[in-house]
Amino acid sequence: MTVRWVAGWAAARTLPGPEDLGDGLLVHCRQPGREYEIFSGRADEDPATVDRLAARVLATPEPTWLTVATHHPQDVLAAYGRAGLSVLKTSEQLMTIDLREHPRFPVPEPYRLVTVAGDATVSVELHDPAGEIAARGAVGLSGADAVMDRILTWPEHRRRGLGNAVMSALADAAAERGAERAILIASEEGQLLYARLGWTATADVLIAAAPGSAYPE
């Protein structure tokens, strides 16, 4: 699942395709404080994976994150500690849903849906009557997979059903492109929304970086 998520996530952000490191996948993120990121879902079958990847992170001069999907988060945290990495996130989850089962919700009045489609990505925005963005999201397409990314509702527009509408629009757009399953990595706050929509958590996701690395918001 992690490999499939990375492919769609890179597409959603128009990043170069991942490099296979054997133990994980390296993506050139091109982001301040996060030049590279290594993703791995192999820690449960080979716990030494995290130690090897952590050593690579520490040996890389550019700011590099290490993101591991696991069913044994305490073991991964222990490996991060042994390596001396700084833990950035411990409460995110890898989640998935069959797009045929994803509920659909209309765009609530008085908001307006704006959709922009690319070769392997679709972005949607909900605009308020003044034309300002109230909520947005994107989906990256990779084969039969659709990876939802950067789902956000502006604080002053929350609790109005905009998150449901954004997810519905992305699910529709992905299904129209032939996608069958959606995948995302959810923040602790987002997990509540996605669970209500029928998404299922498949693994915990823990993120670390070299000491002193900035966390870009």
Side-chain angles (χ1 to χ4, degrees), residues 33 63-65 86 88 209-215:
T64 303
W65 289 14
S86 296
L88 304 180
S213 297
Y215 185 86

Side-chain angles (χ1 to χ4, degrees), residues 79-98:
Y80 287 168
R82 287 194 300 272
L85 296 183
S86 296
V87 177
L88 304 180
K89 291 283 187 177
T90 61
S91 58
E92 300 197 336
Q93 289 185 332
L94 185 65
M95 304 184 76
T96 186
I97 191 173
D98 186 324

Side-chain angles (χ1 to χ4, degrees), residues 23-45:
D23 285 327
L25 298 170
L26 176 69
V27 176
H28 193 179
C29 299
R30 301 170 174 170
Q31 187 175 349
R34 187 190 188 185
E35 188 68 21
Y36 293 96
E37 188 163 2
I38 299 172
F39 301 89
S40 181
R42 294 178 50 83
D44 291 352
E45 59 187 87

Side-chain angles (χ1 to χ4, degrees), residues 115-186:
T115 303
V116 178
D119 291 338
T121 186
V122 178
S123 63
V124 302
E125 296 176 349
L126 297 184
H127 291 189
D128 66 15
E132 299 295 324
I133 300 175
R136 52 100 165 133
V139 59
L141 303 165
S142 177
D145 296 321
V147 173
M148 312 297 193
D149 186 44
R150 289 175 167 169
I151 313 299
L152 178 65
T153 299
W154 270 242
E156 62 270 27
H157 296 280
R158 290 176 181 168
R159 301 187 183 280
R160 302 181 188 181
L162 301 193
N164 290 342
V166 166
M167 295 299 292
S168 296
L170 293 175
D172 281 338
E176 289 172 2
R177 294 288 195 94
E180 299 174 0
R181 176 157 294 277
I183 312 168
L184 57 73
I185 288 182

